[in-house]
Amino acid sequence: MPRDRGGADGVTRALACLAAILIAGCSEEPVVQPMPRAFVDTSWPQRVEGVAMGQVTAVDVDEQNRVFVLQRGDRAWAEPFPTEPIAQDTVLVFDGQSGALLDRWGAGQFVMPHGLSVDEEGKVWITDAAREQVYRYSPDGKLELTLGTRGVTGDDASHFGRPTDVLVYGDRVLVADGYRNGRVAIFDRNGSFIGQFGSEGSGKGQFAVPHSIALNGQAILVADRENARVEVFDLDGGFVKAVPMPDGGRPYAVKRVGGGMLATLEGRDGQDREGAVLRIWSKDWKLDRTLDASPMSGPSRGHDFAVGPGGAIYMADVEAGRVAKIDLSMEGP
């Protein structure tokens, strides 16, 4: 994953640039306007002695307002991937209101966990980019189903190419697949392969890195990260349209946030500078507002987000090692 490698001065300059809406690029004296900061509840989640988060890659919320957080413990993304599973619990479950830790599980089960989704039945779907597999768990961490062949990369009914995310609706399981295949693979709930759409490329209906997938009524939304756009499809996988991100920003996640509104989360801008830029869109993809959701200092890369039953946004920041609770109805500092 590209990183800004300009040293301390480069990092400082990158953070300053990401905290603004670019008007004339990032020159030595850029002409910029301040970007409003998102309101983050700094008391959430509650800290628990002996429980630390490493790279936080994914988050989702169930109907009971339990927030499932996927994190990598003491492991960081690096290639070639290791083969030993992460020793720490990789799934942490928090109360969406109080932030109390309710449960934790996943130790010894994943090598490079990436995406997590909770379906309407409360099942937890997790992708592992190193093991090239997709798993379905019960809410308390019991393995129920495995898709893919462990450790073998491929582009067919029984193999993945570093899967990134899962969307479940009705009797369909859609896997964003991913860093190598650039497709969305379709299964039924029993794991039988049905078909796929999208292929690696930059044309209409094609993906470079389909990093996140979500449902918006009768439409499927795919955050086509390296093509700097969101692609919209009908429920049969037919291409509808592409929505380019402002200034070539890289959308790491896309979701519906309620009231007909949509949101995207950019982890990198068009010049590969990292941060967490949350954009709110109308239902017809008119940009409503842009918020800086990165911490006040330190590294940041927004990687995923979820929307709770009450409208709160929970954001996974992979570089900051945190999950942040954001209130869109309030102004940040």
Side-chain angles (χ1 to χ4, degrees):
M1 293 183 179
R3 298 284 305 277
D4 186 299
R5 302 188 184 279
D9 291 340
V11 170
T12 300
R13 184 165 175 259
L15 289 171
C17 290
L18 267 177
I21 300 174
L22 297 177
I23 295 178
C26 190
S27 61
E28 289 301 314
E29 294 182 358
V31 180
V32 298
Q33 294 292 329
M35 182 186 298
R37 293 195 61 82
F39 180 87
V40 176
D41 183 350
T42 56
S43 67
W44 196 100
Q46 297 180 27
R47 304 302 176 188
V48 180
E49 186 176 353
V51 177
M53 285 187 273
Q55 289 190 333
V56 180
T57 66
V59 60
D60 208 352
V61 189
D62 69 8
E63 292 183 353
Q64 286 76 49
N65 202 21
R66 295 179 296 186
V67 182
F68 290 75
V69 177
L70 187 66
Q71 61 92 32
R72 294 179 180 147
D74 59 5
R75 181 160 297 167
W77 181 285
E79 300 182 54
F81 291 143
T83 57
E84 292 299 316
I86 297 169
Q88 296 86 8
D89 286 316
T90 48
V91 178
L92 306 177
V93 186
F94 297 94
D95 181 271
Q97 183 64 34
S98 69
L101 182 66
L102 303 176
D103 197 5
R104 51 179 173 165
W105 47 270
Q109 298 185 49
F110 308 106
V111 174
M112 196 60 69
H114 189 280
L116 179 150
S117 300
V118 181
D119 68 24
E120 66 271 18
E121 296 179 356
K123 306 296 185 180
V124 182
W125 297 79
I126 295 175
T127 68
D128 190 320
R131 286 188 162 175
E132 300 284 21
Q133 290 180 306
V134 176
Y135 308 96
R136 187 187 74 207
Y137 286 87
S138 67
D140 57 354
K142 295 182 177 61
L143 181 61
E144 298 178 341
L145 179 69
T146 301
L147 304 177
T149 304
R150 178 170 294 187
V152 180
T153 301
D155 184 359
D156 53 39
S158 58
H159 297 87
F160 296 111
R162 297 186 181 171
T164 52
D165 196 20
V166 177
L167 167 66
V168 182
Y169 70 92
D171 62 351
R172 293 291 183 262
V173 177
L174 275 60
V175 179
D177 180 41
Y179 286 100
R180 288 183 170 172
N181 287 339
R183 64 170 180 165
V184 171
I186 309 170
F187 301 83
D188 65 22
R189 281 183 175 266
N190 296 318
S192 297
F193 183 73
I194 296 173
Q196 65 184 54
F197 62 91
S199 60
E200 187 172 0
S202 59
K204 293 180 179 180
Q206 295 180 316
F207 309 122
V209 175
H211 198 263
S212 169
I213 183 168
L215 189 67
N216 178 33
Q218 298 299 302
I220 296 168
L221 310 177
V222 180
D224 188 10
R225 196 186 78 186
E226 295 310 296
N227 280 329
R229 66 193 182 191
V230 170
E231 296 231 28
V232 183
F233 298 83
D234 62 30
L235 296 183
D236 295 321
F239 175 78
V240 177
K241 65 178 178 180
V243 181
M245 296 295 99
D247 301 310
R250 303 299 197 263
Y252 277 61
V254 58
K255 297 284 171 65
R256 182 171 58 180
V257 294
M261 304 295 281
L262 303 159
T264 55
L265 176 66
E266 295 170 20
R268 296 175 9 250
D269 70 5
Q271 299 182 51
D272 276 346
R273 295 170 299 215
E274 298 180 345
V277 175
L278 186 65
R279 298 191 192 273
I280 310 301
W281 306 78
S282 68
K283 62 181 179 181
D284 55 353
W285 290 101
K286 299 293 191 298
L287 185 59
D288 178 76
R289 53 185 158 145
T290 301
L291 300 170
D292 180 2
S294 62
M296 297 297 290
S297 62
S300 174
R301 185 176 356 123
H303 202 262
D304 189 29
F305 70 97
V307 183
I313 288 180
Y314 301 89
M315 183 192 71
D317 190 325
V318 68
E319 288 298 318
R322 66 168 185 154
V323 57
K325 184 178 182 180
I326 297 170
D327 188 339
L328 292 179
S329 69
M330 301 182 68
E331 295 183 358

